């Protein structure tokens, strides 16, 4: 019976028709308005958006997770994101520590469950619509479905494609069989139950064939379509996907068997990025929008740079709750309704923070050390002063009213702050300095205090950090116009050279720092600066994961003075990091023998941890970086 249920679950994931949908052990989180939709097709299209707000599979061990939550998981395997707090609450820890490639790892199975559930939704819609009997509404539904399916497969094939690590310092487990250029099983509206149980991993090339075909269909059906909400893709969204696709194809010509015209792909990437910018009418976020305490990175309607978005409504209490991986929970430095945010302390890597110019308004997304500790003897204009007693504890902190830097009582802390940078900028908070200080200190596991750089980027809905049903109802950007500007700069690097690329990079970064200049004169220097600036721009949004794996830039969080709380975060791997590639979930392996012997292998990451214990890591907090 157990195996029978697993097979049925797998069949549903592989996109079978609605005749066996009742066997699908998945709790889609639906808003009441969608459940009451008078049109079955319209309701199914709306369910695309609500499933992305919250998906759950109790049998598979998948807690309620949003699309944004999945992208946040991916981000945890990149260099610039570290967790400075109590990682016992870090429910995304396996991605952070590089342990997701083990078959059955709870967090590692999320992609193959989540994306195939998404794909099933759109396959059912495409199958339901008769292309010989189309009105404008049905054309729009088809265009939306094809665009989303292209998005899902584009994400999924990048996540699941195995690239053998090349860092000669370490030994990695070899796959059981050759996985070169193998992507994911393809499931469309035409896939039968029988085919689903013997469905090998298609080549990556074949997956891109499908993606490009779907984008062509989306472009056709969305021509003339006027969307009513940013959860609906439009032509600008499609052009943005084309730009991503061609950048990916250009970056993997050495691996591909059929996609070999690198220059042409870079040219197309740049052209489509330009079309997305022009067609969308979107402009880069301003400082006011970026730092908005009520709407910052949570409101699709108030932030003009968003081309495409997901949303969680306040009525969707299952998705807004502390059960769900939503951004208000994951990145909530101020929130009171979930320890999974503030107590984990998702932060910017210290080297990245110190490299980022004080003139760049994006730096205001992460809290500076002097917010938590400033000596009573600090003199204006002089280097940051650190005073310790004989036991090494920081003393003379002007923000500690009680003289106890470990106090968790709000009244023990001041609400004053001397400010960030030369203009003494005051962070735009929803709570207060005393509230944040009473939570984010060494008593709650922030042992690198005050060198934490915890984020203020992702704000709770309406700035409500106390009530999950309100604060958790956040929107998430699937695509921002800034990404198109960065892709345009990268495309210029490969078609017009470093000078043209540097000029384009300057154009977008100057919207964040008017004094910025790109001084790169070589390709390597440009890529280093490009990935840094783009990494800052999209920190926490998942984009950095896809770039890291595409460009094979490694993961570099191992150095003395890093602010993470656990030594397992301190990874230094050049090129390809095995912690980027999860396995297929066990239900798929059981139900589809064609992929059983072609699963992604597991390498124990402890072999490449820089520190071997927390005692090795912690003595170096706050030292001057080399």
């Amino acid at each position: 019976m157990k195996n029978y249920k697993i097979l049925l679950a797998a069949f549903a994931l592989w996109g079978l028709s609605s005749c066996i949908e009742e066997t699908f052990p998945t709790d889609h989180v639906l808003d009441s308005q969608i459940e009451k939709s008078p049109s079955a097709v319209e309701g199914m299209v709306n369910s695309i958006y609500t499933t992305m707000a919250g998906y759950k599979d109790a049998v598979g061990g998948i807690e309620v997770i949003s699309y944004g939550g999945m992208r946040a998981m991916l981000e945890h395997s990149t260099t610039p994101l570290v967790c400075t707090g109590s990682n016992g609450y870090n429910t995304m820890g396996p991605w952070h520590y590089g342990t997701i490639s083990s078959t059955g790892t709870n967090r590692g199975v999320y992609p193959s469950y989540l994306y195939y559930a998404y794909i099933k939704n759109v396959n059912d819609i495409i199958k339901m619509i008769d292309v010989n009997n189309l009105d404008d509404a049905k054309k729009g539904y088809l265009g939306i479905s094809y665009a989303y399916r292209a998005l899902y497969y584009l994400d999924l094939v990048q996540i699941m494609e195995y690239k053998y690590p090349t860092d000669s310092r370490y030994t990695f487990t070899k796959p059981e069989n050759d996985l070169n250029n193998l992507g994911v099983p393809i499931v469309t509206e035409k896939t039968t139950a029988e085919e689903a149980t013997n469905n090998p991993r298609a080549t990556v090339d074949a997956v891109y064939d499908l993606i490009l075909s779907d984008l062509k269909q989306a472009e056709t059906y969305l021509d003339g379509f006027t969307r009513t909400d940013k959860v609906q893709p439009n032509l600008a969204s499609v052009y943005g996907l084309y730009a991503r696709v061609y950048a990916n194809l250009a970056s993997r010509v050495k691996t591909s068997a059929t996609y070999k015209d690198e220059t042409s792909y870079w040219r197309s990437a740049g052209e489509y990025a330009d079309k997305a910018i022009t067609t969308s009418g979107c402009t880069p976020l301003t400082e006011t929008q970026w730092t908005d305490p009520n709407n910052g990175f949570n409101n699709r309607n108030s932030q003009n740079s968003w081309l495409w978005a997901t949303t969680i409504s306040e009525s969707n209490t299952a998705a807004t709750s502390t059960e769900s991986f939503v951004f208000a929970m994951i990145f909530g430095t101020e929130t009171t309704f979930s320890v999974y945010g503030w107590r984990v302390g998702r932060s910017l890597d210290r080297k990245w923070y110190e490299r980022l110019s004080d003139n760049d308004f994006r730096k205001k997304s992460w809290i500076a050390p002097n917010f938590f500790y400033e000596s009573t003897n600090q003199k204006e204009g002089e280097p940051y002063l650190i005073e310790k007693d004989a036991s090494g504890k920081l003393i003379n902190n002007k923000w500690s009213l009680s003289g106890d830097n470990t106090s968790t009582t709000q009244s023990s802390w001041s609400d004053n702050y001397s400010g960030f940078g030369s203009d003494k900028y005051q962070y735009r908070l929803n709570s207060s300095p005393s509230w944040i200080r009473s939570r984010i200190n060494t008593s709650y596991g922030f042992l690198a205090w005050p060198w934490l750089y915890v984020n203020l980027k992702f704000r709770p809905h309406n700035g409500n950090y106390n009530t999950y049903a309100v604060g958790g109802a956040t929107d998430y950007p699937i695509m921002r116009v800034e990404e198109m500007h960065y892709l345009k700069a990268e495309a210029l690097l490969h078609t017009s050279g470093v000078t043209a690329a540097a000029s384009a990079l300057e154009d977008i970064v100057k919207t964040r720092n008017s004094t910025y200049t790109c001084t790169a004169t070589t390709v390597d220097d440009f890529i280093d600066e490009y990935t840094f600036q783009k990494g800052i721009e999209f920190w926490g949004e998942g984009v950095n994961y896809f770039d890291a794996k595409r460009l094979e830039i490694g993961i570099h969080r191992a150095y003395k003075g890093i602010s993470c709380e656990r030594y397992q975060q301190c990874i230094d791997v050049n090129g390809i990091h095995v912690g980027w590639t999860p396995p297929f979930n066990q239900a798929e392996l059981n139900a589809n023998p064609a992929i059983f012997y072609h699963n992604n292998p597991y390498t124990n990451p402890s072999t490449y941890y820089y520190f071997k214990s927390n005692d090795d890591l912690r003595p170096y907090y706050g030292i001057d970086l080399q």
Side-chain angles (χ1 to χ4, degrees):
M1 179 62 70
K2 184 176 180 181
N3 289 337
Y4 175 71
K5 289 182 178 179
I6 289 174
L7 284 170
L8 288 179
F11 288 164
L13 284 172
W14 292 127
L16 300 186
S17 64
S18 58
C19 64
I20 65 164
E21 190 168 352
E22 65 272 13
T23 67
F24 189 34
T26 301
D27 178 16
H28 286 199
V29 184
L30 299 177
D31 288 336
S32 57
Q33 68 181 69
I34 292 172
E35 293 173 337
K36 298 176 182 178
S37 172
S39 165
V41 179
E42 181 184 3
M44 290 180 68
V45 173
N46 286 335
S47 75
I48 295 174
Y49 320 133
T50 51
T51 304
M52 293 178 74
Y55 166 85
K56 180 178 181 180
D57 188 326
V59 173
I62 308 300
E63 302 170 64
V64 177
I65 186 170
S66 63
Y67 177 77
M70 181 69 255
R71 301 269 294 207
M73 274 192 180
L74 302 174
E75 186 82 6
H76 279 67
S77 63
T78 65
T79 298
L81 192 150
V82 299
C83 295
T84 52
S86 177
N87 282 6
Y89 290 95
N90 186 0
T91 53
M92 300 187 176
W95 287 88
H96 213 37
Y97 302 154
T99 61
I100 52 90
S101 60
S102 175
T103 299
T105 296
N106 181 247
R107 305 307 174 194
V109 302
Y110 271 64
S112 53
Y113 268 109
L114 189 68
Y115 282 100
Y116 278 113
Y118 290 163
I119 289 166
K120 172 177 167 47
N121 258 15
V122 293
N123 282 345
D124 287 347
I125 297 166
I126 293 169
K127 186 173 184 177
M128 180 178 288
I129 297 174
D130 181 0
V131 295
N132 298 311
N133 184 27
L134 294 178
D135 55 23
D136 288 343
K138 290 179 181 178
K139 286 181 181 178
Y141 297 153
L142 276 177
I144 289 168
S145 298
Y146 279 116
Y148 266 112
R149 191 166 75 178
L151 170 70
Y152 299 150
Y153 272 113
L154 181 58
D155 280 6
L156 186 61
V157 74
Q158 290 177 87
I159 295 168
M160 300 304 295
E161 180 184 8
Y162 181 74
K163 294 183 175 183
Y164 188 76
T166 55
D167 193 320
S168 60
R169 294 174 295 172
Y170 311 110
T171 300
F172 302 97
T173 303
K174 291 185 177 181
E176 189 171 358
N177 289 290
D178 183 13
L179 302 182
N180 185 59
N181 197 30
L182 286 190
V184 296
I186 290 176
V187 182
T188 71
E189 75 281 5
K190 298 177 181 179
T191 304
T192 66
E194 184 178 359
E195 290 169 340
T197 60
N198 186 28
N199 195 5
R201 296 179 69 167
T203 65
V204 176
D205 296 356
V207 179
Y208 276 103
D209 289 344
L210 174 65
I211 293 168
L212 287 170
S213 174
D214 281 354
L215 288 177
K216 184 176 181 180
Q217 296 274 47
E219 186 176 7
T220 298
Y221 289 122
L222 293 178
D223 186 21
F225 170 76
T226 301
R227 67 182 178 186
T228 57
D229 195 290
K230 285 187 179 180
V231 299
Q232 300 166 336
N234 60 8
L235 278 180
S237 313
V238 173
Y239 296 148
L241 287 177
Y242 269 124
R244 287 179 180 176
V245 167
Y246 281 112
N248 289 347
L249 292 176
S251 300
R252 62 179 312 278
V253 292
K254 293 180 181 178
T255 306
S256 173
T258 57
Y259 289 100
K260 294 295 187 181
D261 193 352
E262 181 178 357
T263 301
S264 173
Y265 304 146
W266 281 123
R267 188 177 299 111
S268 293
E271 289 172 353
Y272 276 111
D274 242 344
K275 290 180 74 171
I277 293 167
T278 303
T279 305
S280 70
C282 294
T283 55
L285 293 173
T286 64
E287 178 175 353
T288 299
Q289 291 173 324
W290 186 288
T291 60
D292 185 342
N294 294 322
N295 298 303
F297 287 91
N298 70 28
N299 190 326
R300 67 196 186 282
N301 297 317
S302 72
Q303 302 209 310
N304 186 57
S305 80
W306 293 22
L307 276 76
W308 194 3
T310 66
T311 185
I312 300 173
S313 69
E314 289 185 25
S315 63
N316 193 341
T317 55
T320 60
S321 75
T322 54
E323 177 187 10
S324 178
F325 292 119
V326 295
F327 265 72
M329 182 191 86
I330 301 167
F331 291 99
T333 293
E334 296 182 89
T335 54
T336 65
F337 53 79
S338 173
V339 296
Y340 297 104
W342 70 262
R343 193 159 178 175
V344 174
R346 291 173 175 90
S347 308
L348 180 64
D349 174 82
R350 182 183 171 190
K351 280 188 175 180
W352 284 55
Y353 183 87
E354 294 190 3
R355 176 175 172 177
L356 183 59
S357 170
D358 285 355
N359 296 324
D360 193 315
F361 72 67
R362 296 174 299 181
K363 198 164 188 175
K364 297 169 183 176
S365 293
W366 300 281
I367 300 179
N370 71 330
F371 178 91
F372 296 105
Y373 171 87
E374 185 163 293
S375 170
T376 55
N377 298 313
Q378 181 71 49
K379 294 183 179 179
E380 188 172 352
E382 293 193 2
Y384 184 52
L385 178 63
I386 300 167
E387 294 183 295
K388 298 181 180 180
D389 63 17
S391 66
K393 293 182 179 179
L394 292 165
I395 58 173
N396 298 329
N397 184 7
K398 67 172 66 175
W399 312 132
S400 177
L401 301 178
S402 64
D404 179 8
N405 291 333
T406 65
S407 175
T408 59
T409 302
Q410 187 174 355
S411 60
S412 297
W413 295 90
S414 170
D415 274 326
N416 293 326
Y417 172 46
S418 61
F420 162 72
S422 59
D423 62 351
K424 299 185 183 302
Y425 172 80
Q426 301 289 308
Y427 295 114
R428 301 175 68 190
L429 305 175
N430 291 300
S431 59
S432 65
S434 61
W435 166 253
I436 294 175
R437 290 163 178 158
S438 69
R439 291 295 180 266
I440 297 181
N441 58 53
T442 55
S443 292
Y444 284 117
F446 292 89
L447 302 182
W449 183 90
W451 300 279
L452 301 175
Y453 320 106
V454 290
N455 90 94
L456 291 173
K457 181 176 177 179
F458 302 98
R459 307 304 187 110
H461 177 54
N462 287 346
N464 190 318
Y465 65 98
N466 288 313
T467 308
Y468 78 82
V470 179
T474 55
D475 298 343
Y476 167 80
I478 296 174
M479 185 182 292
R480 290 199 280 127
V481 75
E482 292 91 342
E483 182 186 357
M484 299 300 109
H485 286 280
Y486 279 96
L487 285 175
K488 181 179 175 181
E490 187 179 359
L492 284 170
L493 174 70
H494 298 283
T495 56
S496 301
V498 175
T499 300
S503 178
L505 183 61
E506 276 191 16
D507 288 344
I508 181 60
V509 178
K510 276 186 174 180
T511 66
R512 281 81 179 93
N513 171 11
S514 61
T515 66
Y516 175 77
T517 58
C518 179
T519 59
T521 57
T522 67
V523 171
D524 287 345
D525 286 346
F526 176 82
I527 291 296
D528 177 71
E529 180 64 10
Y530 171 81
T531 54
F532 172 74
Q533 293 294 342
K534 192 175 179 184
I536 291 292
E537 181 74 31
F538 294 101
W539 182 93
E541 298 178 51
V543 173
N544 294 332
Y545 163 85
F546 292 108
D547 272 356
K549 191 170 183 181
R550 174 174 66 87
L551 297 173
E552 301 179 5
I553 59 176
I555 180 169
H556 306 289
R557 290 198 304 247
Y559 58 89
K560 293 179 180 179
I562 191 172
S563 301
C564 60
E565 190 269 343
R566 290 191 179 186
Y567 75 94
Q568 292 98 326
Q569 297 183 43
C570 297
I571 299 170
D572 183 67
V573 176
N574 295 322
I576 300 162
H577 173 43
V578 294
W580 290 333
T581 308
F584 289 91
N585 66 69
Q586 193 62 52
E588 289 184 31
L589 297 175
N590 291 344
N592 182 14
I595 65 171
F596 190 88
Y597 295 107
H598 291 85
N599 199 13
N600 298 325
Y602 172 64
T603 292
N604 189 328
S606 64
T607 60
Y608 48 79
Y609 288 155
Y610 179 79
F611 297 107
K612 298 306 178 185
S613 72
N614 290 333
D615 291 338
D616 291 338
L617 162 70
R618 292 168 180 169
Y620 300 104
Y621 289 146
I623 67 167
D624 290 339
L625 299 180
Q626 303 299 316

